[in-house]
Amino acid sequence: MSGTSKPTFYVTTPIYYVNDVPHIGHAYTTIIADVLARARKLAGRDVFFLTGTDEHGQKVQKAAAERGLTPRELADRVVVRFQDLWRALEIEPDFFIRTTMPAHERGVQKIFKKLKDQGDIYKGTYRGWYCVSDECYLSDDVPEESDRTKVCPDCGKAAHPLSEECYYFRLSAYRERLLDFYDSRPDFVRPESRMNEVVSFVRRGLKDLGITRTTVSWGIPFPDDPKHTIYVWFDALHNYLTGVGYDGDPDLFRKYWPADIQLIGKDILRFHAVFWPAFLMAAGFELPRCVFSHGWWMMGGAKMSKSRRNVFDVNLILKLFGPDPLRYFLMREIPIGLDGNYSDESFLHRVNSDLANDLGNLVQRTLTLVRKSFGGLLPAPGPENEADSGLRAAFVALKERVTSLYDDVALTRALEDIWAYIFLVNKYLADEEPWKMAGDPSREKRLARVLLQAASAVRGVSHLLFPVMPGSARKVWAWLGEKKRPEEVLFRDLEFVGLEPGRRVGEPTPLFPRVALKDFLAAMAEPAPETAKEDSMEQVGYEEFKKMDLRVALVLKAERVPNTDKLLKLEVDVGSETRTLVAGVGDVYSPEDLAGKRLAVIVNLKPAVIRGVESRGMILAAEWQGKAKIAFYDDDVPAGSRIK
Ligand code: MSP
């Protein structure tokens, strides 16, 4: 069918590294994108939502080697975890891109070659430092530590020196054009504070950027000089083009590019707001309309991440609550842009108070009253009085506000407004006391009116909540006996209407489970079987385990390593000899806590020099919320006893 085409909306998430399985930080961005995609569809737009995985590069290559897998094998395993989790969270992207897909690889090579041929890329040598964890080159002004190492200022992990031939992108040549662009498009980066950060970064000057590696084989080769693989960030950023048909589906590409909103975490702002537009300018593409940077979810004062093990198990929450409470919590708790702190208590409070009490009770109460009165079949209602029309008018105003808040990516505020209305409806019911009217023939029409208003409000609220809680909205609409599903009604067609006389409503079950805090805390403290599976992607045989020489060691002496917060230098008796080792537990244990204690040490680990001290062995400790917890042996276990 031809005709007027709908305005489009293209939203993206970052593509996630496959070095590890997904966690709450990844889920956060992807839920935001899903909510925006659903909201724009209800606003009548033709939507394309892209997410996927970033599979090349040194970080993935290293993670695969550590697990005894090829990078491709690792990627194939982890990608399923992402896709399964998105499904379980009711996240429905239009396309899931993997950077190992041939169309992506071809597209990246094509653009790379074009930039090379037009002189935006030239060959040189990089000498400096590289952080594998962030896959980034350190800027020259990062100072050296006293022991001639450098630490990545963004992630705090050790960087390594790099000296290799590479191709450079002439980023420095784009400084003025970028500044002009930011000037003309102040909304390019949101929130505003992040735009300011980007502008001052670019004002300070830009250096050309290395965009190939010769010491990383797991990457897209540059066909004209195949010992070079393309730098993982150059590769990854172009997914936003290749994922929407750049090499293969020109109609799709023409239809949706440029992206309307590119969601990212604040840690990858520079890549998206400086490098990415410069690449696009160079290649002659239109620039995205907005890069929206969100904050971090923290727990126990640190950014949640698998490597810190301070993440909760998303699968466990899903098992206990289904997807909607988590979707709601993440969207409601903090405005996009700010950091948030996760605690089990705050999550459960939102579930029990906002969802079970305020919304769940309203739905339950209204539907039960309708079912109990008049045998479930509503008679014709009486006229609207002022309170009734007030409820209707408040809904009309709410719909206007909420749709424009969704449009403006102000999801927290949209939910706050919806909840203010839920309070209003609950108050209306408390004032009208329909439960006292049942059975009184003189109040039959009034009762029908009150129930009709309440049912209309429940229907409307569920629809407005659909982008955030699609499953719950569908359930309520089905109970109300609606013939359509909420996603089949556009916001502009949503009216304050309820049950026509004679309609039967279904029997509601509790919409949100109410869980006691102590049960929840107990469940969250237990690692779910899922987690255990995630963490041990690879099994080791006893032969391999046997190679580790683990011993009980007696700590003879303990002192702090000067100028460090975390490091303790320990003299330990391992039975056959006395050893020196350095342990990163000084933030939890003082030297006095350890002196005289017996603990587990791996004694045949290769020695390492840490802050100038040779460490011959490593103590074993559990990691709990980012901190070490050492298990101690009783005094009667002799130093040197073998641990098997
Ligand atoms: N592969 C790159 C992105 C390439 S996009 C062309 C990457 N991947 S990542 O898996 O490390 O991180 C992806 C996103 O997850 C980032 O936006 C990051 O901010 C986000 N999060 C990771 N941990 C997070 C929290 N604890 N909280 C919120 N988001 C965080 O970077």
Side-chain angles (χ1 to χ4, degrees), residues 55-361:
E55 303 189 3
H56 292 125
Q58 193 169 3
K59 179 175 168 120
V60 172
Q61 185 175 308
K62 183 166 162 259
E66 282 164 5
R67 291 171 169 88
L69 299 170
T70 64
R72 180 70 207 214
E73 282 167 345
L74 176 65
D76 286 348
R77 288 184 192 192
V78 174
V79 101
V80 184
R81 308 299 296 250
F82 277 95
Q83 291 170 335
D84 285 350
L85 183 60
W86 298 164
R87 210 169 299 123
L89 281 165
E90 283 213 46
I91 292 170
E92 291 173 357
D94 292 285
F95 189 61
F96 187 103
I97 184 159
R98 302 182 57 178
T99 53
T100 45
M101 286 172 170
H104 171 76
E105 299 194 348
R106 269 194 325 263
V108 171
Q109 285 173 332
K110 213 162 120 189
I111 294 169
F112 191 96
K113 186 162 168 40
K114 174 174 156 61
L115 300 192
K116 164 92 182 19
D117 291 348
Q118 71 191 31
D120 272 304
I121 290 178
Y122 64 93
K123 201 174 199 167
T125 304
Y126 177 80
R127 281 196 193 86
W129 293 77
Y130 192 83
C131 168
V132 178
S133 178
D134 280 0
E135 292 280 20
C136 71
Y137 299 91
L138 260 51
S139 107
D140 293 342
D141 29 297
V142 176
E144 268 187 22
E145 305 276 295
S146 53
D147 51 359
R148 304 173 80 194
T149 57
K150 283 199 183 192
V151 168
C152 170
D154 294 324
C155 71
K157 297 201 179 122
H160 67 84
L162 197 67
S163 172
E164 63 184 40
E165 180 186 287
C166 78
Y167 284 91
Y168 277 98
F169 172 72
R170 245 178 248 289
L171 183 64
S172 56
Y174 286 85
R175 181 174 173 273
E176 300 312 316
R177 277 181 67 185
L178 282 169
L179 289 172
D180 288 347
F181 168 66
Y182 303 144
D183 209 34
S184 67
R185 294 264 300 278
D187 276 348
F188 171 61
V189 174
R190 287 181 66 191
E192 200 184 340
S193 57
R194 299 277 169 221
M195 179 82 260
N196 300 339
E197 230 172 73
V198 168
V199 171
S200 42
F201 173 76
V202 175
R203 279 214 186 107
R204 285 198 294 276
L206 292 174
K207 289 218 161 125
D208 291 349
L209 179 71
I211 51 165
T212 63
R213 301 287 312 269
T214 48
T215 49
V216 177
S217 55
W218 180 237
I220 303 177
F222 172 41
D224 292 357
D225 195 350
K227 76 170 190 286
H228 288 260
T229 56
I230 294 172
Y231 170 46
V232 62
W233 270 102
F234 186 91
D235 164 349
L237 285 163
H238 288 90
N239 92 85
Y240 303 129
L241 303 178
T242 58
V244 70
Y246 164 67
D247 194 79
D249 194 344
D251 290 341
L252 190 77
F253 185 66
R254 223 172 296 119
K255 180 168 176 192
Y256 292 108
W257 186 259
D260 292 272
I261 295 186
Q262 303 216 262
L263 293 162
I264 58 160
K266 62 181 181 179
D267 47 331
I268 53 175
L269 179 62
R270 195 169 297 170
F271 296 95
H272 284 82
V274 182
F275 303 168
W276 177 225
F279 295 156
L280 290 168
M281 282 174 181
F285 291 104
E286 263 190 81
L287 302 189
R289 301 213 166 84
C290 176
V291 169
F292 210 121
S293 158
H294 65 70
W296 284 345
W297 282 94
M298 323 272 280
M299 186 150 132
K303 180 187 175 195
M304 279 192 186
S305 79
K306 280 297 279 188
S307 59
R308 287 197 184 91
R309 291 178 189 271
N310 64 344
V311 283
F312 62 85
D313 186 348
V314 183
N315 289 301
L316 188 60
I317 291 235
L318 282 171
K319 206 150 66 191
L320 291 172
F321 298 94
D324 286 357
L326 184 61
R327 292 174 64 108
Y328 172 75
F329 171 80
L330 293 174
M331 298 303 102
R332 171 74 193 255
E333 195 72 359
I334 45 159
I336 302 172
L338 301 186
D339 289 344
N341 197 57
Y342 172 86
S343 72
D344 292 334
E345 287 80 0
S346 54
F347 173 73
L348 199 66
H349 179 72
R350 287 274 174 218
V351 177
N352 284 346
S353 157
D354 299 11
L355 296 182
N357 266 356
D358 303 340
L359 175 62
N361 276 350

Side-chain angles (χ1 to χ4, degrees), residues 615-634:
S615 179
R616 296 181 54 229
M618 185 176 84
I619 69 167
L620 303 188
E623 196 172 310
W624 170 239
Q625 303 200 331
K627 305 260 188 220
K629 288 258 183 234
I630 303 175
F632 296 107
Y633 286 91
D634 292 337

Side-chain angles (χ1 to χ4, degrees), residues 551-554 573-575 598-599 633-643:
R551 303 281 172 166
V552 174
L554 169 65
D573 175 2
V574 294
R598 287 155 206 271
L599 36 73
Y633 286 91
D634 292 337
D635 287 349
D636 54 4
V637 184
S641 306
R642 181 117 201 214
I643 303 171

